[in-house]
Amino acid sequence: EPEVTQTPSHQVTQMGQEVILRCVPISNHLYFYWYRQILGQKVEFLVSFYNNEISEKSEIFDDQFSVERPDGSNFTLKIRSTKLEDSAMYFCASSFDSMNTEAFFGQGTRLTVV
Amino acid sequence: AQSVAQPEDQVNVAEGNPLTVKCTYSVSGNPYLFWYVQYPNRGLQFLLKYITGDNLVKGSYGFEAEFNKSQTSFHLKKPSALVSDSALYFCAVRDLLNSGGYQKVTFGIGTKLQVIP
């Protein structure tokens, strides 16, 4: 069964450092997403990406965040200058379309900012 | 605004007994409802969805969910729990009036299911 893969599974970084979280979506999917879940809280939408551009972003996704699809397979989330409150589980997801099919999620990257 | 509530942080059930994980939702229009499961060190796995049609939806691993419009609920059920069902379960909703896709999905906080041997 095809799956979304994320690396690393756990990242520890110092406050103010840049981190890049990596995802390989399912190969024939066209829509890509990042979500995050702060410990004990809800899974929150960050950004969606289609046709090589951001299609929508939440208020959480400020100028510190960026996404990129550098090649035909990877989808990355960059946090330029991490803050303590960025500590969370970050999930990548992909779907074939935006309306009628479910999204497939990766196993998540746990980001710990110290 | 749309929202989803999972009132139980944890549900404990004995192996072989029926299980229910509760979910209620709020949307302006008609709901598009999902259940996902997260096993340890794994991503969110899709279980089932409801858009329209029969109120009882069958999904993966023997799970089913019942859509109840009057009670705005979409409880997840399984007739006979297995120890391997122990995981974190997420309910999610999207308002069908929203033209957006998965960016418009709202997730619940998750319910931990513990099946006791």
Side-chain angles (χ1 to χ4, degrees):
Chain A
E1 182 179 325
E3 59 180 11
V4 176
T5 57
Q6 290 184 243
T7 54
S9 57
H10 191 190
Q11 173 98 41
V12 181
T13 188
Q14 288 196 326
M15 191 169 53
Q17 295 296 304
E18 174 183 288
V19 294
I20 297 176
L21 310 184
R22 303 181 190 279
C23 169
V24 179
I26 293 173
S27 60
N28 67 337
H29 284 184
L30 303 176
Y31 293 80
F32 314 111
Y33 314 88
W34 282 101
Y35 285 78
R36 79 172 185 190
Q37 184 182 31
I38 295 171
L39 190 63
Q41 298 186 25
K42 295 182 180 182
V43 175
E44 302 171 292
F45 167 74
L46 292 178
V47 66
S48 59
F49 193 85
Y50 170 72
N51 199 26
N52 287 319
E53 62 182 23
I54 291 174
S55 52
E56 188 153 347
K57 59 184 180 180
S58 72
E59 58 274 12
I60 302 169
F61 195 88
D62 61 22
D63 291 344
Q64 293 298 314
F65 291 89
S66 62
V67 289
E68 192 178 31
R69 191 157 161 78
D71 52 42
S73 60
N74 290 287
F75 179 52
T76 62
L77 173 70
K78 182 191 289 186
I79 309 174
R80 288 189 185 84
S81 179
T82 50
K83 304 186 285 288
L84 293 176
E85 54 264 38
D86 293 326
S87 296
M89 180 73 87
Y90 288 81
F91 292 105
C92 173
S94 69
S95 64
F96 181 71
D97 65 34
S98 67
M99 293 289 288
N100 299 314
T101 58
E102 60 275 11
F104 289 75
F105 285 76
Q107 80 279 22
T109 293
R110 179 162 294 286
L111 176 65
T112 303
V113 182
V114 296
Chain B
Q2 60 192 32
S3 66
V4 61
Q6 293 182 245
E8 302 153 316
D9 291 335
Q10 179 159 335
V11 170
N12 296 321
V13 63
E15 186 177 23
N17 282 2
L19 69 88
T20 299
V21 182
K22 295 180 180 177
C23 172
T24 58
Y25 66 88
S26 174
V27 296
S28 301
N30 291 318
Y32 186 176
L33 293 153
F34 309 82
W35 276 101
Y36 280 84
V37 59
Q38 186 181 29
Y39 298 102
N41 302 314
R42 299 291 300 275
L44 298 173
Q45 294 183 39
F46 171 78
L47 274 180
L48 50 80
K49 65 183 178 186
Y50 171 85
I51 306 176
T52 186
D54 289 342
N55 289 341
L56 188 64
V57 179
K58 293 188 184 299
S60 307
Y61 311 122
F63 283 92
E64 57 190 28
E66 186 168 11
F67 171 64
N68 187 317
K69 188 172 183 178
S70 63
Q71 296 183 5
T72 61
S73 67
F74 190 57
H75 300 332
L76 182 70
K77 300 180 180 183
K78 187 172 182 180
S80 178
L82 300 172
V83 172
S84 57
D85 293 329
S86 298
L88 191 57
Y89 290 81
F90 291 92
C91 181
V93 68
R94 177 165 76 81
D95 191 332
L96 282 171
L97 288 179
N98 285 330
S99 57
Y102 255 78
Q103 54 267 37
K104 299 295 189 183
V105 170
T106 298
F107 283 87
I109 199 168
T111 298
K112 183 178 180 181
L113 174 67
Q114 189 74 39
V115 181
I116 302 162

